[in-house]
Amino acid sequence: MFHESVIVCFVAIAALSSAAPPPPPSSSPSGEWWRDSFIYQVYPRSFKDSNGDGIGDLNGVTSKLDYFVDLNISAFWLSPIFKSPMVDFGYDISNFTAIDPIFGTTNDFKKLTTEAHARGLKVILDWVPNHSSDEHPWFEKSIKKIKPYDDYYVWKDAKIINGTRHPPNNWLSIFLGSAWEWNDKRQQYYLHQFAIKQPDLNFRNAALRKEMEDALVFWVKNGADGFRIDSIPYVYEDAQFRDEPIVPNSGKPADDPATLKHIYTIDQIETYQLVQAWRNAIDSLGGEKKILMTEAYTSLPNTVKYYEYGSNVPFNFMFVTGLNNHSTALDFKRSIDGWINNIPKGGNYIANWVVDNHDNPRVTTRFGSLRADQNSMLAAVLPGLGVIYNGDEIGMEGLQLSWKQTVDPQGCNAGPERYASLSRDGERTPFQWDTTTSAGFSTSNITWLPVNPNYKTLNLAAQKNVPKSHYGIFKKLVALKSSEIIKSGELQVILATDKVLGVVRRLPNTTPIVLLINFSNDAIQIDASAWMNIPSNMSVYTSSVSSNISLGAHLDTTSLKLNGASAVILA
């Protein structure tokens, strides 16, 4: 989950929290199958519809497993598939151990994991611990104060001012407005840091913690190879429920969370301890190692601290929220160096690079279609793990929907004047497989979100056998990711000029791997050999669609021409 007002750019480097973390992991990374690979995010509603109802489902994903094999990714993770009223399209869960009928059944999930494992693929589930749906039986019992559920959610008495009822404090929801909602039956307010129909769970309650831990274990026993933990910084709040400080002159409406400094509603130390408890519970099951990935839009120090509490992949969102089409080569260098330099020392922690996700405008929207391949190329050449969102591998573009077409609650809550900048529908449109009905996503002409009209020319089938296509390039990037020079080679991030960023990976007695990105919209000619200490003649491993550089071409790096907004990898 995401709201742009709570982003903290990764460029700023600060001291890590003084809270004492647990000891670092063992020096052996044995069994960490996710290393030096790409993980692929699937948004199930929009990936493949198997039954013609216009909504993607688990059997649709199963039917496309060979596509993942062809890409050679290590794993895919599924946005929420649990039982839900779908107010927030699966992020409002009414049963943490059941599959929603929209997506299929538990048997369909077991079939998916069985067939995925047979192909050497891992399956990661999206875990949403901060809240449930208000239609969860726990919440219904909590309203009635039935034990032990009476304390499963965060309830507070009203604040009475001049005889008038007010929320307990000034906390604001990510979806705009007060984070508190009055319940007439219980005669108290409940906390909802997201939608009104998503009441926050109370993790200070031991019984609730056990329920959620048991649900994680349930899915591991049913085939899950790990979890992406949603919105983890929000799970605990200040125990004293103090008002948050007001941001002076924010320029935002009073109902916008950007008007507050979030020091009491996110990043509490108990949150990290909870992740460590989940790590321990999953590890205690034995068997092959399971991955934990944590989604935290927070400061760099707070993000990397998750490494020390059991997260294998504390999502690095610098390409998603910290940088954009106005960022310079220097901005990219500073951000990359900042992340690499702040990964904790003394363990086998690996970097990660999130190219895109379902909560933010697509990379083609944020950086422009000419730079569609750029961040995937960076994720491939930089050390560690790459994370890509379905559709990015073919250069899918965001779609601007009308107010009447908007279904995302974050956009709907913003109203017709503000929805365009807050709705996440544009990046969630159906995957464009081919030129048939609804881009091959569904046999129905009506889909839950409209298909982007550009599917007639922008689709997988059109790119499948074209080496110089987004798809062809991405396949080469995945293959490069697992090479020894990327796994263990020396890293240099270099400003080749003020407009050109260079990344070099080196191993002794081996031709280096060199990535060059032109951040200017104009063509540039540089002596990359002198600036980057690379051979004067190198071959093109791959290049961005916009580069006009042929794959396999031999280039003179002493006089290298790069088109505007283009990128090339040399070997």
Side-chain angles (χ1 to χ4, degrees):
M1 292 188 175
F2 164 79
H3 186 285
E4 65 181 358
S5 64
V6 298
I7 297 168
V8 180
C9 182
F10 286 106
V11 174
I13 309 300
L16 293 178
S17 167
S18 59
S26 142
S27 60
S28 171
S30 175
E32 294 185 353
W33 45 262
W34 52 86
R35 285 178 171 264
D36 307 302
S37 68
F38 273 93
I39 288 176
Y40 184 101
Q41 179 189 356
V42 173
Y43 194 72
R45 293 183 69 89
S46 296
F47 193 64
K48 179 62 180 175
D49 170 20
S50 72
N51 59 9
D53 66 356
I55 303 173
D57 47 50
L58 289 177
N59 288 334
V61 177
T62 302
S63 74
K64 294 297 184 180
L65 289 177
D66 288 336
Y67 175 60
F68 300 144
V69 173
D70 185 53
L71 280 176
N72 200 28
I73 58 168
S74 65
F76 58 93
W77 63 273
L78 301 164
S79 290
I81 54 174
F82 309 117
K83 190 173 181 183
S84 167
M86 298 293 161
V87 170
D88 193 18
F89 301 107
Y91 285 91
D92 51 317
I93 296 171
S94 57
N95 187 331
F96 286 94
T97 55
I99 303 293
D100 193 274
I102 285 176
F103 298 120
T105 65
T106 301
N107 283 337
D108 291 332
F109 177 73
K110 289 179 180 178
K111 178 184 176 185
L112 171 61
T113 57
T114 299
E115 295 200 15
H117 293 159
R119 291 166 169 82
L121 295 163
K122 306 296 184 185
V123 184
I124 302 166
L125 288 178
D126 207 326
W127 184 242
V128 189
N130 180 69
H131 47 261
S132 77
S133 165
D134 65 349
E135 296 182 31
H136 197 298
W138 295 346
F139 189 67
E140 295 168 359
K141 293 174 182 178
S142 193
I143 290 172
K144 298 173 183 176
K145 297 187 178 181
I146 297 172
K147 293 187 178 300
Y149 307 100
D150 59 326
D151 197 33
Y152 270 30
Y153 295 84
V154 182
W155 295 98
K156 290 292 288 181
D157 291 334
K159 183 188 293 183
I160 305 300
I161 302 175
N162 296 326
T164 304
R165 185 183 72 218
H166 293 272
N169 59 30
N170 71 345
W171 294 355
L172 292 173
S173 164
I174 298 307
F175 285 4
L176 306 178
S178 175
W180 297 96
E181 181 71 8
W182 178 255
N183 183 271
D184 274 332
K185 290 182 180 177
R186 178 148 167 159
Q187 288 290 296
Q188 281 186 306
Y189 282 94
Y190 66 85
L191 180 67
H192 63 92
Q193 294 215 59
F194 291 87
I196 288 172
K197 292 181 71 63
Q198 293 172 306
D200 277 34
L201 293 165
N202 177 20
F203 277 89
R204 298 188 190 281
N205 179 289
L208 182 278
R209 288 199 305 274
K210 182 65 165 57
E211 295 258 27
M212 295 297 278
E213 184 177 297
D214 287 348
L216 282 173
V217 169
F218 172 86
W219 288 112
V220 170
K221 290 181 176 180
N222 278 278
D225 298 294
F227 301 91
R228 173 264 194 186
I229 305 175
D230 177 74
S231 299
I232 188 62
Y234 297 89
V235 170
Y236 278 90
E237 305 81 31
D238 173 50
Q240 298 179 51
F241 295 92
R242 290 168 282 189
D243 280 349
E244 293 196 310
I246 295 172
V247 175
N249 305 313
S250 71
K252 299 283 187 179
D255 65 349
D256 194 306
T259 60
L260 299 178
K261 294 180 181 177
H262 301 288
I263 61 174
Y264 294 134
T265 52
I266 62 172
D267 299 326
Q268 307 301 299
I269 186 58
E270 296 96 333
T271 302
Y272 296 94
Q273 295 163 350
L274 181 65
V275 172
Q276 184 67 57
W278 288 341
R279 170 88 274 163
N280 295 342
I282 292 171
D283 287 351
S284 70
L285 299 174
E288 192 168 33
K289 215 161 189 180
K290 305 296 187 262
I291 191 171
L292 285 184
M293 309 191 297
T294 43
E295 181 209 35
Y297 291 96
T298 183
S299 67
L300 175 58
N302 283 336
T303 300
V304 298
K305 188 161 62 176
Y306 283 102
Y307 278 114
E308 301 177 77
Y309 286 83
S311 173
N312 308 109
V313 185
F315 277 162
N316 167 12
F317 290 121
M318 70 171 63
F319 296 158
V320 177
T321 62
L323 298 162
N324 54 44
N325 62 339
H326 299 297
S327 302
T328 64
L330 179 59
D331 293 332
F332 269 76
K333 174 175 168 53
R334 284 174 171 165
S335 293
I336 292 167
D337 288 346
W339 180 268
I340 293 290
N341 293 336
N342 276 266
I343 293 174
K345 307 300 186 288
N348 283 292
Y349 308 112
I350 62 168
N352 73 88
W353 315 94
V354 178
V355 174
D356 224 342
N357 65 21
H358 65 297
D359 278 334
N360 295 276
R362 284 192 175 273
V363 68
T364 49
T365 302
R366 300 193 311 274
F367 291 90
S369 57
L370 292 179
R371 296 169 67 180
D373 306 307
Q374 168 189 297
N375 291 351
S376 295
M377 294 171 83
L378 276 165
V381 172
L382 290 167
L385 171 72
V387 182
I388 192 168
Y389 175 51
N390 59 210
D392 286 338
E393 76 277 24
I394 60 171
M396 275 184 62
E397 298 175 357
L399 179 63
Q400 182 62 63
L401 277 69
S402 70
W403 166 244
K404 289 184 178 180
Q405 293 172 308
T406 299
V407 297
D408 173 29
Q410 186 164 288
C412 293
N413 288 353
E417 294 182 356
R418 288 191 286 170
Y419 85 95
S421 63
L422 292 174
S423 175
R424 300 163 295 181
D425 292 331
E427 51 267 24
R428 298 178 177 183
T429 57
F431 191 93
Q432 295 164 209
W433 294 99
D434 54 40
T435 60
T436 62
T437 301
S438 296
F441 161 70
S442 176
T443 56
S444 171
N445 285 308
I446 300 174
T447 55
W448 81 281
L449 280 176
V451 175
N452 193 318
N454 69 6
Y455 80 92
K456 288 291 186 181
T457 54
L458 199 168
N459 61 73
L460 174 66
Q463 299 181 26
K464 196 76 183 289
N465 299 310
V466 181
K468 191 65 182 292
S469 65
H470 300 300
Y471 176 78
I473 291 165
F474 186 70
K475 280 198 68 174
K476 295 208 72 175
L477 296 178
V478 177
L480 179 64
K481 192 70 180 161
S482 61
S483 66
E484 192 58 37
I485 195 168
I486 300 300
K487 287 181 180 180
S488 55
E490 175 193 351
L491 170 68
Q492 291 178 295
V493 182
I494 301 167
L495 284 179
T497 75
D498 63 335
K499 304 291 187 183
V500 177
L501 181 73
V503 180
V504 186
R505 303 302 304 275
R506 305 181 195 270
L507 278 176
N509 305 313
T510 303
T511 301
I513 294 292
V514 179
L515 167 62
L516 289 161
I517 302 173
N518 180 6
F519 284 85
S520 166
N521 290 324
D522 301 318
I524 289 178
Q525 191 156 335
I526 65 168
D527 182 351
S529 177
W531 276 103
M532 304 175 68
N533 188 26
I534 60 176
S536 58
N537 285 283
M538 298 189 73
S539 297
V540 176
Y541 176 78
T542 193
S543 58
S544 63
V545 169
S546 64
S547 69
N548 201 30
I549 298 175
S550 300
L551 304 183
H554 296 281
L555 301 182
D556 177 0
T557 63
T558 66
S559 182
L560 182 61
K561 183 179 178 181
L562 292 172
N563 281 358
S566 68
V568 61
I569 296 177
L570 306 174

